[in-house]
Amino acid sequence: MATRKAKKKREPRRPGRPRDEANQRERLLDAAVACFAADGIAATSQRSIALKAGVTPALVNYYFGSTQQLLDTFVAERMLPVVATLRESVLAAGTEPRALLRAFVQGIYGVVDRYPWWPALWVKEVLNDRGALRDVLQKQIAPQVAQVLATMLAAAQKRGDVSADLDPRLIVVSVMGLTMFPLAAEPIWRRVFAADDLDRDALLRHTLAVLDHGLGGAHAR
Amino acid sequence: MATRKAKKKREPRRPGRPRDEANQRERLLDAAVACFAADGIAATSQRSIALKAGVTPALVNYYFGSTQQLLDTFVAERMLPVVATLRESVLAAGTEPRALLRAFVQGIYGVVDRYPWWPALWVKEVLNDRGALRDVLQKQIAPQVAQVLATMLAAAQKRGDVSADLDPRLIVVSVMGLTMFPLAAEPIWRRVFAADDLDRDALLRHTLAVLDHGLGGAHAR
């Protein structure tokens, strides 16, 4: 608590205080994220973050306070901005359902390209029924993206632009399964199918094709 | 080790030995599975299985030996028979790709209906990069089902029965994402979308429709 108070007061720099504070803080947050994705949030201590970053646990505590505060900071600074970007790309895509879902899928690929830890963390902390981010997903992420998307797809279905035998809410679930699962399971299927000839772009093209026409396809048969 | 030796020798029943051995053993294996699915395999001790089943840890050890032997027994008696059933239903479906994938998806739904712990365990032990069943999946499960399916889909594609812009291996990945993900994430999307009006059958019908025609659909537009 003493260190946090000191930070708020913005006292002049003393010997022993980190020099490049902004960078240091980002670097520690990166180390926290790496630990979360590798070991899971519950198994990550300030000590393990410090070890990863090559600093003392006290320094981690100085920047982030308690473990819960650290998690809140991670959500606020590393997850929600990404979700906001995803939301913007969906909203910018218009109302045509194919364009909408294409924007969503490409948005997710963009996120994972930039933050490769995202799928592993999603498996451990959201899909896992003991996950620490289930509440965050439900209360802060889903309303921003999943619910918006489902509402737009329901409107498109009313206009006759989405097949009547699909459920607009389940379309969002299907699309998550078609994008996040293959990205999370990439190391598995690459080995199972000896599929190193397929790059991320090939996976994205395949995924968009399934979404567009399923196994069928206007030109295929 | 002494108790295992005793078991092999099939000594006459002594006081303190369980009465209905076959049932007892199945019941303990069920308790093990419940612990694996809830807590994860690494976090499950013989003590926690015993606690769950209301017996002594020594009895768990009597039936299954070491923790590794217990895991091997679980794989041999609770996973591989299910995989064999799934394989049979795929092989019985013929070579038409839609019928093939329909059989696979329905087979998975059948498994999860009968063994509701399957999706949670799959998330914790296969999808999770620290999962204890990744090797089992790769060496014992995937060759039985996933690789067979991919080979059949590749043959169907050569005959022109699968859209040319899909990869037969990735179709298997997509189908896993379209089935296992929604089943594993069911508690999440039910809350996010207030979707308690949708039952398992509605989810299955939706999934088969996506697989069949994606967002499009011959009759939709």
Side-chain angles (χ1 to χ4, degrees), chain B residues 6-198:
Chain B
K7 190 184 169 196
K8 272 182 199 150
K9 280 192 203 155
R10 299 194 173 278
E11 291 169 357
R13 183 168 292 141
R14 293 173 308 200
R17 183 71 64 85
R19 280 189 54 228
D20 190 348
E21 295 226 355
N23 272 351
Q24 180 83 285
R25 187 175 178 284
E26 292 302 293
R27 216 168 58 79
L28 291 185
L29 201 48
D30 287 342
V33 172
C35 291
F36 289 166
D39 307 325
I41 289 172
T44 297
S45 63
Q46 300 207 350
R47 179 173 296 277
S48 49
I49 296 167
L51 201 67
K52 179 113 195 152
V55 302
T56 62
L59 194 70
V60 177
N61 187 273
Y62 162 75
Y63 279 112
F64 302 106
S66 70
T67 301
Q68 181 58 47
Q69 286 171 317
L70 170 64
L71 187 58
D72 293 345
T73 303
F74 160 71
V75 170
E77 299 186 16
R78 287 290 197 272
M79 298 200 77
L80 297 184
V82 169
V83 172
T85 308
L86 205 54
R87 175 190 166 90
E88 276 160 32
S89 60
V90 165
L91 291 178
T95 58
E96 199 279 316
R98 277 184 179 74
L100 203 56
L101 291 181
R102 185 172 279 265
F104 181 56
V105 171
Q106 286 172 330
I108 289 178
Y109 270 72
V111 169
V112 173
D113 206 41
R114 206 170 144 198
Y115 307 102
W117 46 266
W118 197 277
L121 193 80
W122 174 78
V123 168
K124 289 191 177 77
E125 305 300 347
V126 176
L127 256 194
N128 184 340
D129 50 19
R130 298 282 175 92
L133 298 175
R134 283 209 153 187
D135 249 28
V136 171
L137 176 93
Q138 201 198 333
K139 290 177 188 154
Q140 298 184 68
I141 297 180
Q144 297 279 321
V145 184
Q147 289 170 2
V148 169
L149 208 49
T151 303
M152 292 174 85
L153 290 167
Q157 192 175 48
K158 272 192 191 132
R159 296 193 306 269
D161 286 345
V162 168
S163 178
D165 57 359
L166 302 176
D167 183 279
R169 298 163 294 178
L170 292 182
I171 292 175
V172 181
V173 178
S174 297
V175 173
M176 286 299 294
L178 278 173
T179 49
M180 286 301 276
F181 167 72
L183 290 168
E186 195 169 345
I188 302 176
W189 59 256
R190 284 201 180 283
R191 265 181 299 152
V192 162
F193 294 125
D196 279 337
D197 55 309
L198 300 169

Side-chain angles (χ1 to χ4, degrees), chain A residues 69-135:
Chain A
Q69 287 172 317
L70 170 63
L71 186 58
D72 293 345
T73 303
F74 160 70
V75 170
E77 299 185 18
R78 287 289 197 273
M79 297 202 79
L80 296 184
V82 168
V83 173
T85 309
L86 205 53
R87 175 190 166 90
E88 277 160 30
S89 60
V90 165
L91 291 178
T95 57
E96 200 280 314
R98 279 185 177 72
L100 203 55
L101 291 182
R102 186 172 278 266
F104 181 55
V105 172
Q106 286 173 328
I108 289 178
Y109 271 71
V111 168
V112 174
D113 206 43
R114 205 171 145 196
Y115 307 102
W117 46 265
W118 196 277
L121 193 79
W122 174 79
V123 168
K124 288 190 178 78
E125 305 299 348
V126 176
L127 256 196
N128 185 338
D129 49 20
R130 297 282 174 92
L133 297 175
R134 282 210 152 185
D135 249 28

Side-chain angles (χ1 to χ4, degrees), chain A:
Chain A
M1 283 310 286
T3 49
R4 290 185 59 79
K5 227 173 177 175
K7 190 184 169 196
K8 274 184 197 148
K9 279 192 200 155
R10 297 193 174 280
E11 292 171 356
R13 182 168 294 143
R14 294 172 307 200
R17 184 71 64 85
R19 280 188 55 228
D20 190 348
E21 296 225 355
N23 272 353
Q24 180 83 285
R25 187 175 177 284
E26 292 302 294
R27 215 168 57 80
L28 291 186
L29 201 48
D30 287 342
V33 172
C35 291
F36 289 165
D39 307 325
I41 289 172
T44 298
S45 62
Q46 299 206 352
R47 180 173 296 278
S48 48
I49 296 167
L51 201 68
K52 179 112 195 155
V55 302
T56 63
L59 194 70
V60 177
N61 187 272
Y62 163 76
Y63 279 112
F64 302 106
S66 71
T67 302
Q68 182 58 49
Q69 287 172 317
L70 170 63
L71 186 58
D72 293 345
T73 303
F74 160 70
V75 170
E77 299 185 18
R78 287 289 197 273
M79 297 202 79
L80 296 184
V82 168
V83 173
T85 309
L86 205 53
R87 175 190 166 90
E88 277 160 30
S89 60
V90 165
L91 291 178
T95 57
E96 200 280 314
R98 279 185 177 72
L100 203 55
L101 291 182
R102 186 172 278 266
F104 181 55
V105 172
Q106 286 173 328
I108 289 178
Y109 271 71
V111 168
V112 174
D113 206 43
R114 205 171 145 196
Y115 307 102
W117 46 265
W118 196 277
L121 193 79
W122 174 79
V123 168
K124 288 190 178 78
E125 305 299 348
V126 176
L127 256 196
N128 185 338
D129 49 20
R130 297 282 174 92
L133 297 175
R134 282 210 152 185
D135 249 28
V136 170
L137 176 93
Q138 201 196 333
K139 291 177 187 155
Q140 299 185 68
I141 297 180
Q144 297 279 319
V145 183
Q147 288 171 3
V148 169
L149 207 48
T151 304
M152 293 173 84
L153 289 167
Q157 193 176 47
K158 273 194 190 131
R159 295 193 307 270
D161 286 345
V162 168
S163 179
D165 57 359
L166 302 176
D167 183 280
R169 297 163 294 178
L170 293 182
I171 292 175
V172 180
V173 178
S174 297
V175 172
M176 287 299 294
L178 278 173
T179 49
M180 286 301 277
F181 166 71
L183 289 168
E186 195 169 345
I188 302 176
W189 58 257
R190 284 200 180 284
R191 264 179 302 152
V192 162
F193 294 125
D196 280 337
D197 55 310
L198 299 170
D199 60 13
R200 256 315 148 74
D201 280 347
L203 179 61
L204 176 56
R205 280 196 305 276
H206 166 91
T207 301
L208 292 172
V210 172
L211 209 55
D212 190 57
H213 56 67
L215 257 199
H219 319 295
R221 309 197 67 188

